[in-house]
Amino acid sequence: MASRAGASRRVPENEAAITYVQCDGLAVMKIVKHCHEESYSNMEVAQGALLGLVVENRLEITNCFPFPKHDDTMDEEEYQLDMMRRLRRVNVDHFHVGWYQSADVGNFLSQSLLESQYHYQTSIEESVVVIYDTKKSARGFLTLKAYRLTPQAIAMYKERDYTPEALRNLKIGYESLFIEVPIVIRNSPLTNIMMSELSEMIPEEEGSKFLDLGTASVLEGQLRSLMDRVDELNQEAIKFNRYQLLVVRQQQDKHRWLLKRAQENAARAAKDEPPLPEEDVNKLFKPHTVPPRLNPMIVAGQINTYSQHISQFCSQSLAKLYLTQALQNAKDAKQNN
């Protein structure tokens, strides 16, 4: 993914930052089609390039195309350049303005996504990553969100220092990695007229599907994913606790060594002997490597996302259960009478 931003244009530093993203209906339909095809066929993450232009404080996404599947015989950068050349010939916006990716129940945060978006934003200043949630959209809730890296996240990747001290100095956590940019879907007036006519032709739903109580499988999948992330975070915590224990032991050994050397020098001074030659303590006690904290921060963000979705999902399910319980009680009371 990192090399995919190389085929893009460079946006001048002095251009105004974007405040919202305007996405054409054609581009949205292409994203939806590609993401659902990938999720149904091989369950892989769908990714593609976004094309458009920057107009004042608005980023317009007018077209897109999918990235090729992993193939050693195909050069991805050459593929993108060829696609943009062909689009330019037919008078279609061919400027690279970002990329899109599918997600599962809103959980898109990963190290590869952060790395890719960093390369995009450093080469295309106004670029965004659009996340399309296939699972929620399949249940009737169109979920399309645009994100950009925060200045703290960009500074973190520039320094390539993921130690606790560096992250604390940058005041960065999983909640401050991304900025969500409002996204607006734009259709032509003719398309809006056609959609209005189609909505009138569709018969009204009875509404029974909104009281569907078969939610155990969805909740079970989310809970299993949450348990996996908690186990992973626990393993990271064990690694960091082990590192802290090693540091404490090393400090104790270093203190004992210095105390012993001071006593030996004091004894030699009492005998009018020269002190022992000074040695570099850091060479004798090499500092342990600090485990990077980027992956635990990402896992914590994934746990937070799953927890929010489970909380929202359970509150909706409980409301359905209380409603159906009242209906069932009313039905039983009517039958008894």
Side-chain angles (χ1 to χ4, degrees):
M1 273 299 304
S3 62
R4 290 172 176 161
S8 310
R9 66 186 181 97
R10 174 65 187 175
V11 177
E13 295 277 345
N14 55 2
E15 287 191 12
I18 61 172
T19 56
Y20 71 99
V21 176
Q22 178 179 292
C23 192
D24 283 5
L26 173 64
V28 173
M29 292 303 296
K30 285 185 175 182
I31 293 172
V32 171
K33 182 174 181 293
H34 178 217
C35 293
H36 280 291
E37 284 177 351
E38 290 293 329
S39 64
Y40 292 149
S41 60
N42 48 18
M43 300 300 291
E44 289 186 359
V45 174
Q47 295 177 336
L50 299 175
L51 306 176
L53 65 159
V54 179
V55 180
E56 296 178 352
N57 63 340
R58 179 179 71 251
L59 178 66
E60 295 185 1
I61 299 173
T62 57
N63 212 324
C64 64
F65 62 86
F67 288 139
K69 296 183 179 179
H70 300 289
D71 188 357
D72 297 335
T73 62
M74 181 179 294
D75 186 356
E76 294 181 358
E77 187 171 344
E78 185 61 32
Y79 170 81
Q80 291 186 65
L81 289 172
D82 185 55
M83 283 291 297
M84 284 187 264
R85 278 195 296 266
R86 293 175 184 272
L87 290 171
R88 183 171 53 194
R89 290 173 187 169
V90 294
N91 199 24
V92 175
D93 292 330
H94 58 277
F95 290 122
H96 211 157
V97 294
W99 61 296
Y100 68 86
Q101 176 177 304
S102 61
D104 183 10
V105 199
N107 207 343
F108 61 91
L109 190 60
S110 65
Q111 194 164 344
S112 59
L113 184 136
L114 289 170
E115 186 82 20
S116 301
Q117 183 59 21
Y118 166 74
H119 287 290
Y120 267 95
Q121 273 188 233
T122 51
S123 59
I124 310 170
E125 189 177 353
E126 278 82 7
S127 66
V128 298
V129 53
V130 172
I131 304 297
Y132 175 74
D133 194 326
T134 54
K135 291 291 182 66
K136 292 186 70 175
S137 298
R139 294 202 298 268
F141 303 96
L142 178 62
T143 307
L144 199 69
K145 295 183 179 182
Y147 294 95
R148 286 171 52 82
L149 286 178
T150 60
Q152 299 96 317
I154 293 176
M156 176 187 68
Y157 266 97
K158 279 184 179 179
E159 297 174 2
R160 298 289 177 177
D161 187 4
Y162 309 125
T163 59
E165 291 77 12
L167 299 181
R168 185 170 59 248
N169 293 335
L170 290 173
K171 297 180 181 179
I172 189 171
Y174 64 84
E175 67 280 353
S176 58
L177 286 172
F178 282 102
I179 300 174
E180 184 175 352
V181 184
I183 187 168
V184 178
I185 299 176
R186 175 187 174 277
N187 290 314
S188 65
L190 291 177
T191 304
N192 291 331
I193 293 173
M194 184 189 69
M195 292 177 66
S196 299
E197 293 180 352
L198 289 176
S199 63
E200 294 177 357
M201 294 169 60
I202 298 176
E204 295 184 1
E205 300 277 345
E206 294 182 0
S208 59
K209 65 178 183 179
F210 299 108
L211 294 178
D212 182 18
L213 301 178
T215 57
S217 60
V218 179
L219 183 61
E220 181 182 357
Q222 294 186 5
L223 287 174
R224 287 186 181 278
S225 300
L226 179 62
M227 290 169 58
D228 293 339
R229 296 299 177 271
V230 171
D231 289 341
E232 187 176 352
L233 186 61
N234 182 48
Q235 294 298 322
E236 294 289 345
I238 291 173
K239 292 179 184 178
F240 190 72
N241 291 336
R242 188 181 299 117
Y243 159 77
Q244 288 182 317
L245 183 61
L246 292 174
V247 169
V248 170
R249 289 179 180 176
Q250 189 181 63
Q251 291 294 333
Q252 293 174 350
D253 294 340
K254 187 186 297 185
H255 179 71
R256 282 195 294 266
W257 184 87
L258 292 173
L259 184 61
K260 181 180 178 182
R261 178 56 65 93
Q263 291 174 352
E264 290 177 353
N265 286 334
R268 292 174 70 88
K271 297 178 183 179
D272 294 332
E273 295 179 0
L276 295 173
E278 294 184 1
E279 298 184 33
D280 190 358
V281 180
N282 292 327
K283 290 184 178 180
L284 295 175
F285 300 93
K286 294 183 179 180
H288 296 282
T289 305
V290 183
R293 304 303 295 163
L294 178 61
N295 189 56
M297 181 169 61
I298 292 174
V299 174
Q302 294 174 347
I303 291 174
N304 179 65
T305 302
Y306 277 124
S307 301
Q308 290 178 353
H309 281 282
I310 289 173
S311 176
Q312 181 182 6
F313 185 79
C314 288
S315 62
Q316 295 173 354
S317 300
L318 285 174
K320 291 179 183 179
L321 289 174
Y322 279 116
L323 180 60
T324 51
Q325 182 182 10
L327 294 174
Q328 185 65 34
N329 292 338
K331 181 180 179 181
D332 294 342
K334 186 177 180 181
Q335 290 178 350
N336 293 333
N337 293 333

